[in-house]
Structures are given as C-alpha cells and as structure tokens.
Amino acid sequence: MQIYLNGELTHTACSTLLELIEELALDGKRFAVEKNEIIIPKSKLAQTTLCAEDQIEIIHAVGGG
C-alpha cells in the first residue's frame, strides 16, 4: 500500500504504525508519530492500523549541545 511518510509517497507492507516504526529502525528511540494530523501515543502504535493514502509524520529527537 502507499502512504505519505513525512510528505513523501512511500510504499509499505506494514499494517500498523508499530510495524512501520520497526521497519524504520526507530524502535527504542525518542520520536513522535502523527497519523492524519492526530498525535498517536506510543502505547497505541500496535493497535493503530495503516490505510492507503494515510499521512504519517514521524519526528525524532536529535541530541546535541
């Protein structure tokens, strides 16, 4: 299926947001996820399904000084 990931059309076989996070190797890192302009808590990633044309925004924290 095709989704928009951070504004870019992307093909994925993932069916949930958790699978997408794991595919992007972000599991265990600090990030925030928005699906169709709604922030999704990390506790709900496994239950949140992906649908064709969903708009997903993932922002991850970068450390620095």
Side-chain angles (χ1 to χ4, degrees):
M1 111 181 71
Q2 291 188 351
I3 61 170
Y4 290 92
L5 179 60
N6 293 341
E8 293 186 25
L9 192 60
T10 305
H11 179 77
T12 184
C14 298
S15 60
T16 67
L17 281 177
L18 182 60
E19 289 176 9
L20 182 64
I21 293 301
E22 291 170 346
E23 182 178 276
L24 297 172
L26 294 175
D27 197 29
K29 296 184 180 177
R30 295 177 53 139
F31 61 87
V33 181
E34 184 180 278
K35 177 185 174 188
N36 299 327
E37 300 183 4
I38 298 171
I39 296 173
I40 307 298
K42 287 185 181 181
S43 62
K44 302 288 185 190
L45 292 177
Q47 296 87 18
T48 305
T49 57
L50 291 173
C51 299
E53 307 297 318
D54 274 346
Q55 296 199 25
I56 308 299
E57 296 290 327
I58 300 176
I59 300 169
H60 51 90
V62 177

